[in-house]
Amino acid sequence: MSPVTPGSLYIIFMKTKHLLIDAKNMLYRAVYVAAYDKAFQKSGHHNVNIVLHFLSDFMNKFKPEQVHIFWDSPRNNTWRKEIEPTYKDGRGGNSKISDSDLGDSINNLTEVCTFLFRNMGIKQYYRDNMEADDLIYAFCKINSPDDIAIASSDTDLLQIPYRYPNVKVHSHLSKEKLLFEEVPEVDPVILKCFVGDKSDNLPGYYRVGPVKAKVLTEDIEERDKFFKSDKAVAKVDGEIKRVGVDRFKKNLLMIDLSLCPHLLDNMMHVSRRQFKPIKFDLKAIRELISKYKLRGVTADISRYIAPFKKLVRDSNASRNSYS
């Protein structure tokens, strides 16, 4: 992957060694697209068709040598819940999808995709109590300086290219139709520790917005003064209370992926999984299509699924060259 300059940030085609995909992020997007696309609803096709379309788009954009999918442990089973019991509480669907329907759709897609990816030459990663972000960070840490592209709209992942210049993040939410998100000017972890993260239900400091947070992120002396002042307050159980540096330290542990207490085990897990043999089994894929009645997939096998066979062929060629 060549260095990314401002002019090359816009949609182009390129080749990268590793494509890392945040699985649940992609699946949620597929469910939402299906809910708003009347033509797709009328077709009666299964939501997995949209997932395959996304994967095909990623393959065309990044021409990866290897594709890696990372799965979240169930929300109520993550290690962060032990530190902050309300972590990610309050997340719900949108106006067109009830929480119940959303959950059912995601569970069905997860079951289908896990088996499908296993037979498409895609490597998958999952560990109890871990989020996809934790495993993605571990992968990037042990695969530097390989060219890595991450497909996810999760802003927490922007801390990785901030620290590792060989990593780029692609988000479908990019307003500028950028191929990659711009690397933050200041440490996104420290910034988020001050402003909090509503999407994860992590509160920041009371009345500290992005402008003030940027100053505190860049100036350590101002940061220390703030922690010791009466302004270091936050809402606790609906009341404004002085929290000093404690809120910052708690948010830092929750947000900074390098501080995951299981990082070493995650790195070992990723290392083992990364070098396991992969396979492309069209017969198994057709059986899955029949079993789950995946309407619309059979017609798109040659367009969306068959190209993944190249991942297995290239992987086998690479292994033989070292044998």
Side-chain angles (χ1 to χ4, degrees), residues 99-152:
D99 289 350
S100 177
D101 288 343
L102 177 63
D104 289 344
S105 295
I106 293 296
N107 289 338
N108 176 261
L109 266 180
T110 299
E111 184 177 350
V112 169
C113 289
T114 301
F115 185 90
L116 188 61
F117 297 160
R118 189 186 308 150
N119 292 284
M120 286 175 58
I122 297 175
K123 300 178 181 183
Q124 300 185 81
Y125 305 80
Y126 170 89
R127 284 196 75 216
D128 283 339
N129 307 123
M130 298 299 114
E131 295 183 70
D133 293 10
D134 297 313
L135 301 178
I136 288 173
Y137 182 85
F139 185 99
C140 292
K141 185 172 178 64
I142 65 177
N143 282 282
S144 180
D146 288 349
D147 293 330
I148 298 173
I150 301 173
S152 176

Side-chain angles (χ1 to χ4, degrees), residues 23-24 26-32 34 40 46-52 54 71 102-117 124 288 292 294:
K24 282 292 178 67
M26 178 173 63
L27 266 52
Y28 272 101
R29 181 188 171 199
V31 172
Y32 290 145
F40 181 80
H46 193 280
N47 289 352
V48 75
N49 286 274
I50 298 177
V51 173
L52 292 173
F54 291 157
W71 294 94
L102 177 63
D104 289 344
S105 295
I106 293 296
N107 289 338
N108 176 261
L109 266 180
T110 299
E111 184 177 350
V112 169
C113 289
T114 301
F115 185 90
L116 188 61
F117 297 160
Q124 300 185 81
L288 177 76
Y292 286 94
L294 304 181

Side-chain angles (χ1 to χ4, degrees), residues 145-175:
D146 288 349
D147 293 330
I148 298 173
I150 301 173
S152 176
S153 60
D154 186 345
T155 58
D156 282 333
L157 291 170
L158 291 176
Q159 63 186 274
I160 302 180
Y162 181 80
R163 294 172 179 167
Y164 296 97
N166 61 299
V167 180
K168 304 293 183 287
V169 175
H170 170 76
S171 171
H172 67 275
L173 295 180
S174 176
K175 296 178 181 179

Side-chain angles (χ1 to χ4, degrees), residues 53-278:
H53 173 78
F54 291 157
L55 288 174
S56 177
D57 184 52
F58 294 152
M59 292 290 284
N60 288 332
K61 285 177 180 174
F62 305 117
K63 300 291 189 295
E65 295 178 20
Q66 298 178 30
V67 178
H68 312 264
I69 298 277
F70 298 82
W71 294 94
D72 287 317
S73 182
R75 187 182 302 173
N76 292 325
N77 191 34
T78 68
W79 65 268
R80 290 178 176 85
K81 274 284 190 180
E82 298 174 7
I83 300 171
E84 183 58 73
T86 60
Y87 176 64
K88 288 192 175 180
D89 284 355
R91 278 191 170 189
N94 62 20
S95 58
K96 285 209 170 191
I97 314 173
S98 68
D99 289 350
S100 177
D101 288 343
L102 177 63
D104 289 344
S105 295
I106 293 296
N107 289 338
N108 176 261
L109 266 180
T110 299
E111 184 177 350
V112 169
C113 289
T114 301
F115 185 90
L116 188 61
F117 297 160
R118 189 186 308 150
N119 292 284
M120 286 175 58
I122 297 175
K123 300 178 181 183
Q124 300 185 81
Y125 305 80
Y126 170 89
R127 284 196 75 216
D128 283 339
N129 307 123
M130 298 299 114
E131 295 183 70
D133 293 10
D134 297 313
L135 301 178
I136 288 173
Y137 182 85
F139 185 99
C140 292
K141 185 172 178 64
I142 65 177
N143 282 282
S144 180
D146 288 349
D147 293 330
I148 298 173
I150 301 173
S152 176
S153 60
D154 186 345
T155 58
D156 282 333
L157 291 170
L158 291 176
Q159 63 186 274
I160 302 180
Y162 181 80
R163 294 172 179 167
Y164 296 97
N166 61 299
V167 180
K168 304 293 183 287
V169 175
H170 170 76
S171 171
H172 67 275
L173 295 180
S174 176
K175 296 178 181 179
E176 305 258 347
K177 299 294 182 185
L178 299 176
L179 180 61
F180 295 119
E181 295 295 282
E182 294 188 39
V183 178
E185 294 181 1
V186 298
D187 192 331
V189 170
I190 303 299
L191 193 73
K192 193 172 282 192
C193 285
F194 284 109
V195 300
D197 188 341
K198 289 184 179 180
S199 65
D200 286 340
N201 200 32
L202 288 179
Y205 286 87
Y206 186 63
R207 290 184 175 176
V208 173
V211 175
K212 176 65 174 176
K214 186 174 184 293
V215 173
L216 296 174
T217 299
E218 294 180 307
D219 193 324
I220 295 180
E221 289 186 4
E222 284 296 316
R223 193 186 309 172
D224 289 338
K225 288 179 185 178
F226 173 80
F227 290 143
K228 295 173 183 176
S229 74
D230 293 333
K231 295 181 180 180
V233 297
K235 274 192 176 182
V236 181
D237 297 326
E239 296 183 19
I240 304 299
K241 296 183 179 180
R242 190 178 182 284
V243 293
V245 72
D246 291 341
R247 171 55 53 82
F248 177 85
K249 286 162 47 174
K250 185 180 230 184
N251 283 353
L252 189 64
L253 182 57
M254 299 284 285
I255 297 168
D256 192 333
L257 296 174
S258 72
L259 296 179
C260 172
H262 309 279
L263 177 58
L264 180 57
D265 288 335
N266 290 341
M267 290 168 63
M268 293 176 70
H269 169 78
V270 166
S271 294
R272 287 193 298 268
R273 297 292 303 174
Q274 182 180 349
F275 294 101
K276 279 198 168 186
I278 55 177

